[in-house]
Amino acid sequence: MALVSVAAAGDRLGMRRALAPLLLIALVAGACRTEPAAPALQHKKRLVIGITQEPDTLWMPMKQMNASEHIGRPGALSLTVFDEHWRLIPQAAEAIPTLENGGVTLVDDAGARRMRVTWRLREGLRWADGHPVSADDFVFTWRLYQDPTIEIVDRTMAERVLDMQAPDARTLVVTWREPYAYYAVFRNHEVLPRHLVEPEVVRLGPKLKESPFGAAPVLGGAFTIKEWAPGSHVVAVRNPHAQPAPVLDEIVWRIIPETTTLEANLLAGTIDAISVVGLTFDQASAFAARNDPRFEVVFTPALHWEHLDLNLENPRLADRRVREALLCAIDRQGLVDAVFGGKLEVAHGTRPVGSPYHNAALPVRVQDLARAAALLDEAGWQLGPNGVRVKEGKPLHLELATTAGDKLREQVAQVLVSQWRAVGVDVAIDLQPAKVLFGDTMRHRKFSALAMFTWSLDPIQVNEAFWRCDQIPRADNGWRGQNFPAFCNARADELIARIATELDDEKRAALARELELVLATELPQLPLYFRTEVSVVPKGFRGWRPVGILQSQAWNAHEWAWP
């Protein structure tokens, strides 16, 4: 039995090498022309980043959106983080515990097999108000996750912990209910300042999310949040007690929903850089081709799975034949060729080629209009006189919700609608601001049929909140989980449980590949393609190392520096 070596997981995955053809870093050469210097060169302690999405919250345990992760990560404190090679490295921890170094032990507890992990915090960690970061803060945050009245997005990992103790200020002992392969993943034990949050829990109870702390949280990492002006910007300032001290004094995230406006602001000098939550692939490619000597365009291989969530509680979509017909009607390769110049990988499952969890035996469904039509006929949807299929007098009409302001995604949506129309399915596009789509529509499962967006995945962990039966967000469970399709499958639940507790890398990968087959058969989601992460920084800016996964590009913001 081999416990996953999380400190070197990225090396063994081989994902970076598999995606190497997508790693297009445009190192823009100098040209014989004079351009105005970006204004931030005049204030080298400040960086202004444009981002198209506004956070839903800066309460890290309650966040739903990538924007919240990207903006909050420079100050959020967790025991570990991923580096740009997808290797886990210590952050708040001195080192990562393993079986080999004695930090992880497997124990028998009255016949139950437990895992005990002992973490040692780095010396000198302090919240931005000067209060020491203590192991007790981690224990408090874990207990907060357990409160069913508090709106927490994903409790799956916290619920796997049987007990958490702080024998002293710098020692955290975590006892897992059973061996857990992902015990060191960076999101497991994020921490909140007990001395500030506990009074808010007492004051607000189930309405904790409404606390002002969520708009300007006091953080323990390199930066803390000074101001969030809704619809405008978020200002993060250096934590005066951070060790190591950040080079920059301030990071400003300007919220600019329209990608075309985002680029115009960069050229005008009102922003210095563009977040990975920013330009579309085609815009970034066109920008790189213009060879502006002031900027570097970075294309990062990524685990960003663009897909369609299907609401399986919609009677039309409850029939698996209809779901398969929708997939068979789509020409995904043609879409990738036309919109992305053929540079993205078509998705047939949730993992790209090169991932140990990728299942090469998955059905490869290419566009097949005849099969799509046959499946719809078989499901009882007959072609009506106006070209739209009808069953029991009701037309096959669906709504597709997706983000407004992302021109490329809007273009993809229009292509999909046209292709579905060819087999008699009438789909209307519902464009919503990202904050509305993710903060309300998806969170509270208000989408009626289809929703197109990206899940950013973890390189070594299979997410449980996406597919487990008990992770369907509902009012009676405090809207916990991210199983927006309301997918419930006994075999999937069994596999997810076994994957998380299997400590042997190869056996765990085999189980994950079987889960991929279940998902590809049942189709609670329709896979589209794997996105490449794009960003823009000033030429010569140091430390900008996006990771292309669920974790923010700002994981190492303390290193960011002007030339």
Side-chain angles (χ1 to χ4, degrees), residues 334-380:
L335 188 152
V336 164
D337 290 344
V339 180
F340 301 101
K343 291 185 171 65
L344 301 189
E345 178 185 338
V346 170
H348 298 288
T350 75
R351 297 281 170 161
V353 173
S355 166
Y357 304 152
H358 170 77
N359 188 338
L362 293 184
V364 177
R365 295 183 175 96
V366 297
Q367 187 182 43
D368 187 338
L369 299 182
R371 176 160 177 76
L375 285 165
L376 292 170
D377 287 341
E378 184 181 327

Side-chain angles (χ1 to χ4, degrees), residues 360-420:
L362 293 184
V364 177
R365 295 183 175 96
V366 297
Q367 187 182 43
D368 187 338
L369 299 182
R371 176 160 177 76
L375 285 165
L376 292 170
D377 287 341
E378 184 181 327
W381 291 97
Q382 302 301 315
L383 206 57
N386 63 348
V388 176
R389 291 181 177 269
V390 178
K391 182 178 181 180
E392 298 175 354
K394 296 180 180 179
L396 186 48
H397 174 78
L398 304 170
E399 284 191 353
L400 168 60
T402 193
T403 51
D406 184 331
K407 299 303 181 186
L408 202 60
R409 185 171 276 159
E410 292 177 16
Q411 182 181 348
V412 170
Q414 291 166 359
V415 171
L416 296 178
V417 167
S418 174
Q419 293 181 345
W420 286 324

Side-chain angles (χ1 to χ4, degrees), residues 306-341:
E306 186 80 0
H307 70 286
L308 294 153
D309 266 13
L310 278 61
N311 187 340
L312 304 188
E313 293 180 341
N314 181 320
R316 293 170 171 81
L317 298 175
D319 190 324
R320 198 200 66 81
R321 293 168 297 186
V322 174
R323 303 197 296 272
E324 185 178 352
L326 291 174
L327 188 57
C328 288
I330 301 172
D331 181 7
R332 289 172 293 168
Q333 187 62 60
L335 188 152
V336 164
D337 290 344
V339 180
F340 301 101

